[in-house]
Amino acid sequence: MGLRKSDMPHELPDITEMSGRDDIMLTRVLLSLTTDIARLLAVSHTIASPQEKQRLIHTIKKSLQTFLRFSDIAIVQYNLKKGVYKVFLEDCEKTRQHDDFEMMASREYPIRDGLHDVLMQSATAVLFSVPELQKQGAIQFDFLHAAGIAEIAGIRLMHNNEVFAGMALLSETPDSFSKEDLRQIERFSYHLSGSLANILANEAIRQREKEKEILLSLSADIARTRGLQDLITVLRCRLKSILYLNDITISLLSSNKTHFRVIAEDTEEIRSSDPAYQELVFAEYPVADGVHDALLASDSPEVFDVEQVLRNCPIKHAGFQFIYEHGIRELAGVKLVNQNEEIGFLIILSEERNAFRDTDLRLLQGISDQLAVALANILADERIKRQLKEIKGYKEKLEEEKLYLQEEISSGYTYKDIIGAGAEMQQLFYMLSQVSVSQSTVLLLGETGTGKELIARAIHNSSPRKDKLMVKVNCAALPPNLIESELFGHERGSFTGALERRIGKFELANHGTLFLDEIGELPPGLQVKLLRAIQEKEIERVGGKNTIKTDVRIIAATNRNLQKEVTEGRFRSDLFYRLNVFPIVLPPLRERKEDIPLLAAHFIDRFARTAGKKNVRLSSTAMKQLEAYNWPGNVRELEHVLERSILLMQGNVIREIHLSSPQAGAENKAKTEGDYSRTLAEVERDYILGVLNKCRGKVFGPGGAAEVLGLHVSTLNHRIRKLGIHKEHKYFIKMPQH
């Protein structure tokens, strides 16, 4: 029958010595033995029958209650490696009525609690008084006392000579178990141990198979991911169906392994909706926080009580404080290792304590190996994409720079290359020599064709930025809806037609010079953004989310009267003052006619070589034509007129100047012979303005305009006001006295 000696009643007498005793005594002993054997056989049969776990413990309880007095039964499993135990099976009617039962039944407890460490050392069943156990200070005994339990009968369960579990019978009344009851419990434990060991082994096998299936399925899902968001979505779907968790985070280690930051997360709304969430969760934290340093030092997953972590952490950890205040009580984590390099962490968080079992941690370890490879591949892909994007950006910039460099090579002017010998140009040269070496913003004012771009290039080529680009933007040549993109660049898809990302002129001119030609034509809406870019030294691409730092020197040019534009509300005053740091007025050609011979010689030499003609010169008649003409198009018009004249000339002497139109020629001839078409006020105004310019703006005193005109100072000032002559008609600067 499989009975052991210990299964036999201790009081059984030697039958050979009973010949003289009463037959009734023998009958009673045999009856008791038969009853005990029947009970054990019934219980053994019950245990041997394959049943669901909870039903099994219920059956065992009912069988034992036929001959023992107790209310609840619990079987705990020992984890000798960790030195803890946890309830494996239970059927509790009394203690379950307590509000904290579920929490207490799901926790792990240290084996050394005054009960289970005693059971493990005892070969027989042991009886414990709950009030006496309370003196050990363990929380579980306070719970049992509060639930009405007074006494516990316990026995260890062994398999292959190793203790692996313990059984406890809980009674509401003291002295519920006799010595015979304890022997019955001991005999029963032999039958229970083997069956329970088989149940645990089968369950472990099923769990392992389940874990393999999960890992294989997860591996296939992870292999299909193409980004961090896909990866965290797969983990959320898979892990939340098998683990009791609320949130998941994946963190990345810094290269020196001293800091980490979350790069992907799946968080429930109670935490993610908090305004402080994004800043706190995605901040960079030191590894030495009591959790991540422990994970780095461990080769297996670890579980942490958040409250205890906060209590033990030497510094206040804002991230842990946040999750604790928002309901997280426990977290489990594992480091991610790829090719023997620690690259990050996987953390799962729960709002419940004792949420993670050993099986969960074992599964977490298997997941970490696959996750580490996937994470490394995703990071490598992102790095490659980022590098390709940077290479594409550099390529675009190099292509743009090539065009500008070619232009600069063909027009590498300095202010020494600007032609002019008159007083007006000498004044201009002095101003250029002062401003070129600085970083100041320059505003070039003057009529169309006076050479503002030439001056801008001369300033740039004489500045410390000469080895970088000077990038030109013609604000009048672009449609208003494209100027912003031209200046600041745009991201792909930011507007219709934006098929790819493009860098703007500010980025292209970084560390160089940005020449904003025709700045007076800039729309008001763009004026605000330009002002911010100049003031803050940073820009945002159209459709972009990040700011880009720039180091650009601004040279702006216009043929408009910007002060008048400001007064009439067409140009922002704050932008005008930002640009008007160092204004330079370029004189029109009609006010520097003494430079016409030099300019003519320069252009004739250049265009003659291009046309393949030698020894080209101007006749005196042609020179007089040039000097007599008013040149509304300024130097640019002179350049084009001479180019056309060379193409139309016969021989090597330019005998006639081919002006822009017959009307221009007639006007020129009329002015040479005497112009009577203008009013007296117009003639007087031009004459006084000319004298003022020659006197460098000086109205009174020796050499002043009043002395030259032979007028009293008050009379001259009255006429200046009456004729509408203002200071902005000419910029004057005092020349240094040597």
Side-chain angles (χ1 to χ4, degrees):
M1 292 188 295
L3 297 178
R4 307 168 187 246
K5 182 179 180 181
S6 58
D7 293 337
M8 308 295 288
H10 287 219
E11 296 85 353
L12 184 63
D14 188 343
I15 297 178
T16 60
E17 298 178 1
M18 292 186 63
S19 57
R21 296 187 182 182
D22 189 56
D23 292 341
I24 296 175
M25 176 66 70
L26 178 60
T27 302
R28 288 177 179 174
V29 170
L30 291 174
L31 183 60
S32 175
L33 176 61
T34 303
T35 302
D36 288 348
I37 292 172
R39 288 172 180 167
L40 292 174
L41 285 172
V43 173
S44 297
H45 177 74
T46 300
I47 296 172
S49 303
Q51 300 179 44
E52 188 268 330
K53 284 194 308 181
Q54 195 56 41
R55 185 181 173 192
L56 173 64
I57 191 66
H58 181 71
T59 304
I60 292 172
K61 177 183 176 182
K62 291 300 181 184
S63 298
L64 291 177
Q65 282 181 331
T66 60
F67 58 93
L68 296 173
R69 290 186 302 155
F70 65 94
S71 58
D72 296 347
I73 182 173
I75 297 175
V76 302
Q77 185 177 5
Y78 296 134
N79 186 331
L80 301 181
K81 183 179 179 181
K82 294 175 64 176
V84 297
Y85 68 89
K86 191 172 184 179
V87 174
F88 172 65
L89 292 173
E90 55 82 17
D91 190 330
C92 301
E93 296 178 2
K94 179 65 178 176
T95 53
R96 186 177 289 277
Q97 297 171 14
H98 195 284
D99 292 340
D100 294 334
F101 174 79
E102 294 294 341
M103 180 188 72
M104 297 298 295
S106 62
R107 292 181 61 171
E108 286 184 341
Y109 300 96
I111 291 175
R112 300 184 64 83
D113 63 357
L115 189 155
H116 289 278
D117 51 339
V118 173
L119 286 187
M120 289 184 68
Q121 300 300 321
S122 176
T124 60
V126 184
L127 190 62
F128 298 92
S129 167
V130 171
E132 289 297 319
L133 288 173
Q134 281 184 278
K135 296 177 182 179
Q136 301 291 329
I139 187 175
Q140 60 267 38
F141 301 133
D142 291 334
F143 164 77
L144 292 176
H145 183 266
I149 301 301
E151 194 172 61
I152 301 174
I155 185 70
R156 70 183 184 185
L157 302 177
M158 298 184 66
H159 184 68
N160 293 333
N161 294 322
E162 290 186 1
V163 179
F164 70 94
M167 180 180 72
L169 305 180
L170 290 72
S171 175
E172 301 174 53
T173 57
D175 304 321
S176 296
F177 302 99
S178 64
K179 290 183 179 180
E180 178 58 29
D181 290 338
L182 295 180
R183 281 193 289 271
Q184 292 276 25
I185 293 170
E186 180 184 342
R187 286 194 291 271
F188 171 69
S189 70
Y190 297 130
H191 298 268
L192 178 61
S193 295
S195 299
L196 191 59
N198 289 335
I199 291 172
L200 289 172
N202 290 333
E203 187 167 277
I205 292 171
R206 287 194 298 272
Q207 181 63 31
R208 296 282 186 181
E209 292 298 323
K210 182 180 178 181
E211 288 174 11
K212 287 180 182 179
E213 291 177 7
I214 292 170
L215 290 175
L216 285 172
S217 177
L218 185 61
S219 176
D221 289 342
I222 288 176
R224 289 192 290 269
T225 60
R226 290 295 178 267
L228 287 172
Q229 193 54 51
D230 289 347
L231 189 60
I232 203 73
T233 301
V234 166
L235 288 176
R236 178 192 62 208
C237 294
R238 289 292 184 179
L239 295 187
K240 281 195 173 181
S241 64
I242 54 178
L243 302 180
Y244 193 81
L245 61 89
N246 297 95
D247 301 346
I248 309 170
T249 66
I250 299 174
S251 304
L252 189 66
L253 262 173
S254 61
S255 56
N256 58 6
K257 307 294 187 289
T258 60
H259 290 75
F260 72 94
R261 61 180 178 85
V262 172
I263 58 173
E265 52 74 39
D266 179 78
T267 307
E268 292 186 356
E269 188 177 359
I270 189 174
R271 285 168 288 280
S272 62
S273 60
D274 191 292
Y277 172 77
Q278 292 289 331
E279 181 179 352
L280 283 173
V281 171
F282 292 100
E284 187 175 72
Y285 294 102
V287 168
D289 60 5
V291 172
H292 294 84
D293 48 352
L295 292 178
L296 273 181
S298 175
D299 292 328
S300 59
E302 301 289 340
V303 179
F304 302 90
D305 183 286
V306 180
E307 184 177 5
Q308 187 175 351
V309 169
L310 284 170
R311 193 164 50 244
N312 297 338
C313 192
I315 58 173
K316 185 177 180 181
H317 194 292
F320 289 147
Q321 190 71 38
F322 175 84
I323 63 173
Y324 183 76
E325 290 173 356
H326 288 73
I328 296 298
R329 293 293 175 264
E330 188 173 79
L331 57 86
V334 62
K335 66 183 177 183
L336 303 176
V337 181
N338 181 57
Q339 296 182 351
N340 296 323
E341 181 185 2
E342 295 149 337
I343 62 173
F345 305 96
L346 170 64
I347 304 288
I348 56 176
L349 304 92
S350 175
E351 295 176 359
E352 299 292 334
R353 286 186 171 91
N354 302 301
F356 305 115
R357 303 161 298 176
D358 287 344
T359 53
D360 298 336
L361 300 185
R362 194 165 56 243
L363 182 63
L364 208 60
Q365 181 68 63
I367 292 171
S368 72
D369 297 334
Q370 301 177 30
L371 183 60
V373 175
L375 180 61
N377 290 338
I378 289 172
L379 293 175
D381 288 344
E382 289 184 350
R383 187 162 53 248
I384 292 171
K385 289 178 182 177
R386 191 164 55 249
Q387 290 171 347
L388 288 173
K389 188 176 181 180
E390 289 175 0
I391 291 170
K392 184 179 180 182
Y394 289 138
K395 182 181 177 183
E396 291 172 355
K397 189 172 182 180
L398 286 172
E399 289 174 351
E400 294 276 357
E401 286 182 351
K402 179 182 176 182
L403 297 175
Y404 281 98
L405 287 171
Q406 288 173 343
E407 186 176 350
E408 286 188 352
I409 289 170
S410 62
S411 56
Y413 300 109
T414 67
Y415 70 89
K416 295 178 182 178
D417 299 314
I418 300 171
I419 298 169
E424 299 288 342
M425 294 306 294
Q426 292 304 312
Q427 174 185 327
L428 178 63
F429 293 151
Y430 171 73
M431 295 172 70
L432 292 179
S433 67
Q434 297 299 305
V435 76
S436 293
V437 295
S438 74
Q439 303 291 337
S440 300
T441 300
V442 178
L443 179 60
L444 301 178
L445 302 168
E447 298 177 6
T448 300
T450 50
K452 292 186 285 294
E453 183 177 350
L454 176 67
I455 298 298
R457 290 196 177 278
I459 293 172
H460 170 75
N461 292 332
S462 301
S463 75
R465 298 172 179 256
K466 62 184 178 182
D467 294 329
K468 301 297 181 180
L469 290 180
M470 187 191 94
V471 178
K472 175 187 174 183
V473 177
N474 190 331
C475 300
L478 291 169
N481 60 324
L482 293 181
I483 295 178
E484 183 178 3
S485 173
E486 187 74 11
L487 286 174
F488 308 126
H490 63 254
E491 298 291 347
R492 180 180 178 182
S494 56
F495 55 85
T496 304
L499 301 179
E500 59 183 11
R501 183 179 66 85
R502 184 177 180 184
I503 62 173
K505 296 299 189 283
F506 262 91
E507 285 183 79
L508 188 62
N510 196 30
H511 303 301
T513 302
L514 181 62
F515 176 46
L516 300 173
D517 199 9
E518 305 295 350
I519 190 69
E521 308 297 328
L522 196 66
L526 265 296
Q527 293 177 24
V528 179
K529 296 184 178 181
L530 176 60
L531 177 63
R532 179 183 177 275
I534 296 174
Q535 287 186 159
E536 306 297 331
K537 297 188 181 299
E538 63 181 26
I539 62 167
E540 288 184 16
R541 296 194 190 110
V542 177
K545 297 179 180 178
N546 301 320
T547 58
I548 302 168
K549 293 291 183 182
T550 58
D551 173 22
V552 175
R553 183 187 189 177
I554 300 293
I555 300 177
T558 183
N559 58 6
R560 287 176 177 260
N561 184 338
L562 285 189
Q563 283 186 328
K564 184 179 179 182
E565 296 292 305
V566 169
T567 303
E568 296 179 359
R570 290 190 293 270
F571 201 84
R572 293 181 63 92
S573 59
D574 46 6
L575 178 58
F576 171 70
Y577 294 126
R578 177 62 65 178
L579 296 174
N580 198 42
V581 176
F582 197 95
I584 299 176
V585 177
L586 277 63
L589 187 56
R590 62 179 174 275
E591 293 181 9
R592 46 178 290 222
K593 289 190 175 181
E594 64 272 22
D595 293 330
I596 289 178
L598 293 174
L599 289 167
H602 170 74
F603 291 134
I604 287 171
D605 180 62
R606 190 213 301 177
F607 295 130
R609 278 189 280 107
T610 303
K613 298 181 179 182
K614 298 180 180 179
N615 301 321
V616 176
R617 59 187 179 84
L618 274 170
S619 67
S620 57
T621 303
M623 181 60 75
K624 287 179 181 179
Q625 277 184 280
L626 294 179
E627 292 175 340
Y629 184 50
N630 200 38
W631 298 111
N634 293 295
V635 178
R636 185 183 297 128
E637 185 181 7
L638 174 63
E639 179 183 10
H640 295 162
V641 164
L642 289 173
E643 182 179 11
R644 182 166 59 250
S645 297
I646 288 174
L647 293 174
L648 297 174
M649 66 180 286
Q650 299 293 327
N652 62 348
V653 178
I654 300 175
R655 301 185 184 279
E656 183 182 0
I657 297 299
H658 299 272
L659 295 170
S660 302
S661 65
Q663 290 81 357
E667 180 187 352
N668 183 43
K669 183 177 180 181
K671 287 182 179 178
T672 304
E673 296 175 353
D675 186 1
Y676 304 103
S677 62
R678 296 187 298 165
T679 66
L680 181 61
E682 290 175 338
V683 173
E684 183 182 14
R685 184 179 185 278
D686 287 349
Y687 183 72
I688 292 176
L689 186 59
V691 173
L692 284 170
N693 287 337
K694 289 296 183 183
C695 295
R696 320 190 71 72
K698 186 175 182 181
V699 177
F700 59 93
E707 180 182 274
V708 173
L709 293 168
L711 296 173
H712 192 275
V713 174
S714 61
T715 302
L716 178 58
N717 282 331
H718 173 73
R719 292 190 181 182
I720 286 173
R721 287 194 298 272
K722 182 180 179 181
L723 295 170
I725 298 174
H726 303 289
K727 243 183 177 180
E728 62 262 27
H729 289 117
K730 188 72 179 72
Y731 180 83
F732 301 99
I733 185 167
K734 185 177 180 180
M735 293 293 293
Q737 301 295 323
H738 298 289

